[in-house]
Amino acid sequence: MEIKKRDGLWVSGTHGGYQFQAKVYDEGSMFGIDAGRVSKLCVCREESHHTVFNYDRGYDVNPETAEEREIVKAIILELERLPKLWS
């Protein structure tokens, strides 16, 4: 995964032909994915900009293929591992 920009809570980058934009807090919450730190996440294919996953305090678009599910899972895992900003 390559982080292209981190501006406060917002993070954007690429991973395996997909681009993403996320809002990542220092602590998990009931609004985060699986009560984690990621409260917003949009994942799109780089070449077509087709949205394969969108979460905005709830699931809006879910991955349709095994490849998309693995990419989303890997992105979420790496975002959860980001250093905290305010601790």
Side-chain angles (χ1 to χ4, degrees), residues 24-25 48 75 80:
V24 182
Y25 288 88
S48 67
I75 291 170
E80 288 288 337

Side-chain angles (χ1 to χ4, degrees), residues 28-81:
S29 80
M30 62 187 251
F31 298 112
I33 298 173
D34 296 329
R37 297 173 57 199
V38 182
S39 70
K40 296 182 183 202
L41 175 61
C42 183
V43 179
C44 302
R45 290 189 175 273
E46 280 188 287
E47 74 279 353
S48 67
H49 301 288
H50 171 74
T51 300
V52 299
F53 181 80
N54 194 68
Y55 182 94
D56 188 347
R57 295 186 175 189
Y59 294 96
D60 301 313
V61 177
N62 285 305
E64 296 180 357
T65 67
E67 174 190 337
E68 293 170 353
R69 284 188 293 277
E70 289 302 313
I71 290 290
V72 170
K73 184 178 175 181
I75 291 170
I76 293 168
L77 183 63
E78 290 301 316
L79 290 171
E80 288 288 337
R81 292 179 178 166

Side-chain angles (χ1 to χ4, degrees), residues 1-7 10-15 20 22 24 75 78-79 82-83:
M1 181 170 87
E2 178 183 354
I3 300 292
K4 299 228 180 209
K5 183 177 181 183
R6 185 164 188 188
D7 184 15
W10 287 98
V11 179
S12 60
T14 58
H15 183 74
F20 65 88
V24 182
I75 291 170
E78 290 301 316
L79 290 171
L82 285 175

